[in-house]
Amino acid sequence: MNIKVFNIRLDKENCQQDQTRMNAFLDSVEVKLTSTNFVTTGTTDFWSAVVFYELKKGDSKATSDAKPTEVIELNAQENEIFTALKEWRNDLAQKLGWSSFRICHNSHLISIIKSKPQNLDELKTVKGFGASRTLNYGDDILSVLNAF
């Protein structure tokens, strides 16, 4: 069984986009179980939804042109780190008036969690990170990781 986590932000700017992304995903898989939780960070409120799913068998939409969906499973501690990194990213994005994905995508956060960088040089080697992103956000990211 696979797992995917969605955060549905409640602000007007992001709510519809987040719902559309989640609905598109739900249409493409066979849902086995879901769990939701309302999260309040003090600055951002959102619904967090965990979807346990299986890939649809014999899906007529699956073509050779379709992008493969990479499924990466996180253990309990990795999920905690993922949540902490998302909160950091969302807080910074709100402060800057940006979309959180402009700072880094969820896939980048997962790459960080899986590669467990210990310093800025190791962070530069993580997929999605280079000199610029590491310079701008590296110290914050390492601080979050060191909290665990």
Side-chain angles (χ1 to χ4, degrees), residues 10-133:
L10 301 179
D11 59 281
K12 290 180 185 178
E13 181 181 320
N14 296 301
C15 187
Q16 187 61 47
Q17 175 188 351
D18 292 346
Q19 289 179 50
T20 301
R21 184 174 42 89
M22 183 174 176
N23 287 335
F25 175 80
L26 293 174
D27 288 341
S28 70
V29 298
E30 184 179 333
V31 176
K32 297 295 184 181
L33 180 69
T34 62
S35 176
T36 59
N37 192 30
F38 187 72
V39 179
T40 302
T41 65
T43 56
T44 305
D45 296 337
F46 59 92
W47 280 100
S48 181
V50 179
V51 179
F52 296 86
Y53 68 94
E54 297 288 340
L55 298 176
K56 285 186 178 179
K57 293 181 173 76
D59 189 350
S60 61
K61 294 179 185 178
T63 67
S64 59
D65 295 336
K67 290 183 180 179
T69 302
E70 184 177 354
V71 176
I72 299 174
E73 294 190 26
L74 301 176
N75 64 34
Q77 182 180 23
E78 289 171 335
N79 270 321
E80 287 181 44
I81 297 169
F82 185 58
T83 299
L85 285 170
K86 286 191 305 184
E87 286 178 12
W88 159 80
R89 180 192 62 192
N90 293 343
D91 289 345
L92 179 60
Q94 184 175 24
K95 187 178 355 176
L96 297 172
W98 292 355
S99 165
S100 60
F101 297 106
R102 187 170 169 190
I103 294 169
C104 59
H105 297 273
N106 285 345
S107 61
H108 299 150
L109 299 180
I110 292 171
S111 293
I112 290 167
I113 293 164
K114 290 298 187 179
S115 48
K116 300 175 178 88
Q118 299 297 309
N119 56 51
L120 294 175
D121 288 332
E122 290 179 10
L123 183 60
K124 284 183 203 173
T125 66
V126 173
K127 179 183 174 189
F129 275 77
S132 177
R133 207 173 248 153

